[in-house]
Amino acid sequence: MKIGFIGLGNMGAPMAANLAKAGHEVTGFDTAGVEVEGVANAASAAEAASGAEVVITMLPNGDILRRVADEIVPAMDKGAVFLDCSTVDVASARAVAEKAQEAGLLALDAPVSGGVGGAQGGTLTFMVGGDEKGFNIAKELFDIMGQKAVHCGPSGNGQAAKICNNMILGATMIVTCEAFAMADKLGLDRQAMFDVVSTSSGYSWSMNTYCPAPGVGPQSPADNDYKPGFAAELMLKDLRLAQQAATDADADTPLGAAAMRLYEEFVEREDGKGRDFSAMLPRFEKRGHS
Ligand code: NAD
């Protein structure tokens, strides 16, 4: 397939490289002038998009996505697929999809989970909203870049699934860290706590797979001095998107709101920036009940 790839950052570069390695003809563009092995460089986003059967975007936020869409939609051939894999607000995803559809394109929002490791290893999960026909065309690309793609319904639903998932993840990580810090103060050994909770009704991905306590459970960023992994500032971004969506949809999300405030404090007023999101545990260790 002839593919345009716009946004060759931490995630986009390895995703584009995997598509090229699988034999697709990939032309990329990034404002930072990034070079990716096997990927031809275009001089602009419009040039990367023109003549492509699928154009993939992997960009920082909804405003940038809207600007890039203004540039590339007129350059794309009718019937081509506009596949946005960035994590953006639901409203931007729906606005961009509408613009693409009006121009005769097939639009998909397909944010990912799995992080940089998943992008490098081709093991991402794609949560996809939008056109069924577009989904079927993009399926073979999802299979190269990832291990699973779930079609979640119309445009914007991929982003909706992503922020609901990450709202659960943020809140469960916080409460798992709180519980470890409280267990310390109660004199309960961390290994004993893990052995009980990981096989009891308090279990979760945060506890069982990504345990925030160093030396306990499987290897995780906690065992590497909380180097990300999944950075606390990226969790904050997703929790803010969740709160924006909750406001727009008039949904009551008290724990999601509390999780957002805690990560805001941790990243913007404490030492959380650049640390893994599970570094909430050393944060709670230092604090008392207030
Ligand atoms: P990044 O900042 O490393 O990459 C974004 C790239 O977009 C940069 O290289 C930047 O130069 C480029 N860019 C910005 N404006 C542009 C424009 N107008 N035209 C072309 N290129 C432009 O970010 P990332 O970590 O690769 O994340 C990309 C997206 O994936 C984000 O929406 C993020 O939330 C999401 N995401 C990231 C992770 C992760 O672990 N890093 C996990 C899941 C989802």
Side-chain angles (χ1 to χ4, degrees):
M1 250 189 236
K2 202 167 173 313
I3 298 167
F5 206 116
I6 296 156
L8 301 166
N10 292 321
M11 297 291 289
M15 290 162 73
N18 282 338
L19 293 172
K21 223 183 291 163
H24 292 289
E25 190 187 326
V26 188
T27 303
F29 175 73
D30 190 297
T31 40
V34 186
E35 297 275 338
V36 179
E37 206 186 323
V39 176
N41 252 345
S44 67
E47 189 184 307
S50 109
E53 294 159 81
V54 178
V55 176
I56 303 175
T57 45
M58 194 52 168
L59 296 163
N61 60 50
D63 287 341
I64 294 176
L65 172 67
R66 286 177 192 246
R67 283 207 298 278
V68 168
D70 287 344
E71 225 190 298
I72 64 175
V73 166
M76 287 173 66
D77 294 343
K78 275 201 168 42
V81 179
F82 183 157
L83 170 57
D84 176 47
C85 295
S86 330
T87 304
V88 303
D89 55 291
V90 176
S92 292
R94 292 195 169 139
V96 164
E98 202 177 306
K99 186 183 175 71
Q101 281 152 7
E102 279 166 8
L105 306 175
L106 305 173
L108 297 173
D109 56 292
V112 302
S113 101
V116 176
Q120 286 166 344
T123 57
L124 295 168
T125 296
F126 290 85
M127 297 152 250
V128 191
D131 194 277
E132 180 94 45
K133 194 167 154 210
F135 180 80
N136 291 331
I137 295 170
K139 182 87 183 52
E140 70 172 286
L141 306 184
F142 294 140
D143 289 343
I144 295 164
M145 297 185 286
Q147 59 185 356
K148 190 167 183 183
V150 182
H151 192 217
C152 302
S155 291
N157 281 21
Q159 300 294 348
K162 163 98 188 178
I163 55 176
C164 287
N165 180 73
N166 281 17
M167 188 169 80
I168 296 170
L169 174 62
T172 50
M173 179 54 82
I174 288 169
V175 79
T176 304
C177 293
E178 282 177 9
F180 268 118
M182 184 168 84
D184 291 345
K185 295 195 176 187
L186 294 172
L188 170 62
D189 177 65
R190 287 183 171 185
Q191 184 64 50
M193 155 114 160
F194 176 84
D195 291 345
V196 170
V197 176
S198 65
T199 53
S200 300
S201 45
Y203 84 91
S204 68
W205 185 87
S206 296
M207 175 60 85
N208 292 36
T209 309
Y210 204 93
C211 183
V216 177
Q219 279 287 116
S220 69
D223 299 304
N224 190 25
D225 203 22
Y226 296 100
K227 289 195 182 69
F230 186 45
E233 57 267 31
L234 287 176
M235 174 49 85
L236 175 58
K237 172 190 173 180
D238 293 353
L239 290 169
R240 281 182 168 147
L241 291 175
Q243 284 311 294
Q244 195 179 333
T247 306
D248 292 348
D250 191 25
D252 187 21
T253 55
L255 284 181
M260 184 196 75
R261 282 195 300 274
L262 274 167
Y263 275 103
E264 214 162 55
E265 256 177 68
F266 187 46
V267 169
E268 294 183 347
R269 290 183 284 286
E270 299 168 8
D271 62 348
K273 191 155 197 279
R275 305 185 81 193
D276 190 72
F277 83 119
S278 61
M280 274 283 168
L281 174 53
R283 176 188 187 275
F284 286 124
E285 277 167 16
K286 289 187 239 133
R287 301 166 72 93
H289 187 68
S290 55

